[in-house]
């Protein structure tokens, strides 16, 4: 490992001249910023060169090189044939100097590394806030990972309890109805957009009691009622339309508006009707 980490005083060329010489020899330090890239095509990974690996015989690891960037990545050299893998993959397959692998072994290792990298992308996405399996799959697809790899990652996340669509739906419904002033119709639409299965949506909405949804609608309606100017019928019309737009059912809105009218001393007023 004298090339990158050796004593510079013992090296001939230096600076730009040394870099040009190394590039001419096919040796590139990927820790240099100019070689970073957001796409897998721009990185110096194993895919473009793997087809050139010898088909027969054993491939012996001649050097294991820790990369500065990205972290936890290693370049494994089989003579003049390099691949890059995540630290966890390197440890799992005991990729140490002198170890021998067939090309078919390396195909398995490369697939494992893809799963590990996509798993890392999923964890980063989850670190910001909880996600559904659909949202994670969509994100990984945008990153360019294959359907098979995405499926493996989703299964792993599910087994580890890091994603749970049923729990997500229940918590989402509880919060949106209880503290965000949204009706069940609105919440059902939101959960559909997040890719939650219909049975899980209905189960989650069933956990929200009619009383909780009524209280949510009434508090929201009361604020709208008190902030609306005009005659009684105009206030009732605007308040009812507002609650409907928030995803509350027509029956629930009528019940809320009727109670608001009763508190105004209008017990005999006509019920609110959806326009």
């Amino acid at each position: 490992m004298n090339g990158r980490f050796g004593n510079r005083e013992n090296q001939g060329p230096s600076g730009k001249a040394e870099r040009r010489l190394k590039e001419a020899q096919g040796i590139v330090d990927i820790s240099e910023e100019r070689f970073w890239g957001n796409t897998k095509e721009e990185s110096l990974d194993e895919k473009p060169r793997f087809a050139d690996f010898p088909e027969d015989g054993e491939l012996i690891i001649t050097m294991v090189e820790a990369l500065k960037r990205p972290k936890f990545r290693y370049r494994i050299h089989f003579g003049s044939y390099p691949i890059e893998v995540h630290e966890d993959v390197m440890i799992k397959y005991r990729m140490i100097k002198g170890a021998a692998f067939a090309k078919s072994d390396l195909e398995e290792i490369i697939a494992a590394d893809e799963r590990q990298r996509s798993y890392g992308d999923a964890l980063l996405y989850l670190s910001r806030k909880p996600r559904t399996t659909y949202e994670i799959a969509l994100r990984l697809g945008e990153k360019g990972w294959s359907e098979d790899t995405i499926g493996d990652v989703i299964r792993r996340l599910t087994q580890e309890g890091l994603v749970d669509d049923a729990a997500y739906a229940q918590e989402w419904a509880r919060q949106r109805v209880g503290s965000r002033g949204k009706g069940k119709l609105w919440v059902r639409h939101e959960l559909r957009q997040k890719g939650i299965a219909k049975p899980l949506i209905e189960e989650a909405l069933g956990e929200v009691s009619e009383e909780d949804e009524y209280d949510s609608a009434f508090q929201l309606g009361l604020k709208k009622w008190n902030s609306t100017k005009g005659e009684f019928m105009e206030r009732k019309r605007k308040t009812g339309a507002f609650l409907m737009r928030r995803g509350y059912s027509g029956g629930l809105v009528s019940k809320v508006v009727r109670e608001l009218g009763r508190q105004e001393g209008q017990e005999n007023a006509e019920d609110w009707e959806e326009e």
Side-chain angles (χ1 to χ4, degrees):
M1 300 175 68
N2 293 331
R4 282 181 58 193
F5 302 106
N7 189 335
R8 288 186 178 271
E9 294 179 359
N10 295 329
Q11 297 175 5
S14 60
K16 293 183 178 179
E18 178 186 9
R19 189 173 62 194
R20 293 194 189 100
L21 176 60
K22 287 187 175 182
E23 291 177 9
Q25 297 172 339
I27 302 173
V28 178
D29 182 356
I30 68 166
S31 67
E32 292 185 25
E33 185 171 340
R34 64 199 183 92
F35 289 104
W36 301 350
N38 293 325
T39 63
K40 293 186 286 300
E41 289 77 13
E42 293 174 349
S43 68
L44 296 175
D45 81 359
E46 66 283 350
K47 285 187 177 179
R49 300 183 181 183
F50 186 69
D52 298 329
F53 277 49
E55 296 289 344
D56 301 322
E58 291 186 327
L59 294 159
I60 309 298
I61 295 179
T62 56
M63 183 172 69
V64 176
E65 183 181 11
L67 303 179
K68 291 182 180 180
R69 297 175 187 271
K71 293 182 177 180
F72 311 115
R73 299 290 296 174
Y74 287 78
R75 182 177 296 167
I76 312 297
H77 295 266
F78 300 86
S80 60
Y81 300 100
I83 65 172
E84 291 175 15
V85 298
H86 189 275
E87 182 178 68
D88 290 346
V89 174
M90 183 188 70
I91 293 172
K92 177 181 178 180
Y93 290 92
R94 296 182 58 81
M95 303 186 78
I96 60 177
K97 185 175 180 180
F101 296 86
K103 188 173 182 179
S104 59
D105 297 328
L106 297 184
E107 289 177 346
E108 178 184 341
I109 290 171
I110 289 171
D113 184 63
E114 289 184 351
R115 290 192 296 270
Q116 183 63 38
R117 283 191 289 161
S118 58
Y119 176 75
D121 285 343
L123 290 182
L124 179 61
Y125 191 48
L126 278 168
S127 68
R128 296 162 189 159
K129 65 178 183 179
R131 311 282 184 175
T132 66
T133 56
Y134 171 78
E135 289 174 323
I136 294 171
L138 194 63
R139 178 69 170 183
L140 294 180
E142 292 171 351
K143 288 281 189 176
W145 298 112
S146 69
E147 291 185 6
D148 288 343
T149 297
I150 293 172
D152 288 337
V153 171
I154 294 297
R155 281 188 288 273
R156 178 177 175 182
L157 293 171
T158 302
Q159 291 170 358
E160 294 174 349
L162 296 177
V163 290
D164 185 333
D165 281 357
Y168 182 101
Q170 290 174 11
E171 181 63 17
W172 184 271
R174 185 187 66 79
Q175 289 187 3
R176 300 297 275 181
V177 173
S179 60
R180 298 298 180 88
K182 304 290 186 182
K184 288 185 178 181
L185 296 177
W186 183 294
V187 174
R188 180 180 285 108
H189 176 69
E190 287 181 320
L191 291 175
R192 283 176 179 170
Q193 288 187 315
K194 290 177 173 294
I196 301 292
K198 184 177 179 179
L200 296 182
I201 293 176
E202 299 308 318
E203 181 181 348
L205 293 175
E207 294 292 324
V208 179
S209 68
E210 293 181 3
E211 291 78 9
D212 288 342
E213 189 182 20
Y214 173 81
D215 289 342
S216 171
F218 183 81
Q219 294 302 320
L220 195 64
L222 181 60
K223 290 180 181 179
K224 180 65 176 178
W225 183 275
N226 292 334
S227 64
T228 301
K229 307 298 182 181
E231 299 295 328
F232 173 79
M233 293 303 295
E234 179 69 6
R235 294 169 70 194
K236 187 167 72 168
R237 182 186 68 80
K238 290 184 176 180
T239 299
F242 171 73
L243 291 176
M244 288 292 293
R245 290 195 298 271
R246 302 289 286 196
Y248 296 101
S249 67
L252 181 58
V253 171
S254 294
K255 184 178 178 181
V256 169
V257 172
R258 186 164 54 247
E259 176 60 22
L260 291 171
R262 188 191 67 77
Q263 293 185 6
E264 288 271 314
Q266 301 287 340
E267 295 188 22
N268 297 324
E270 295 180 1
D271 285 344
W272 175 86
E273 293 183 0
E274 180 180 355
E275 295 181 353

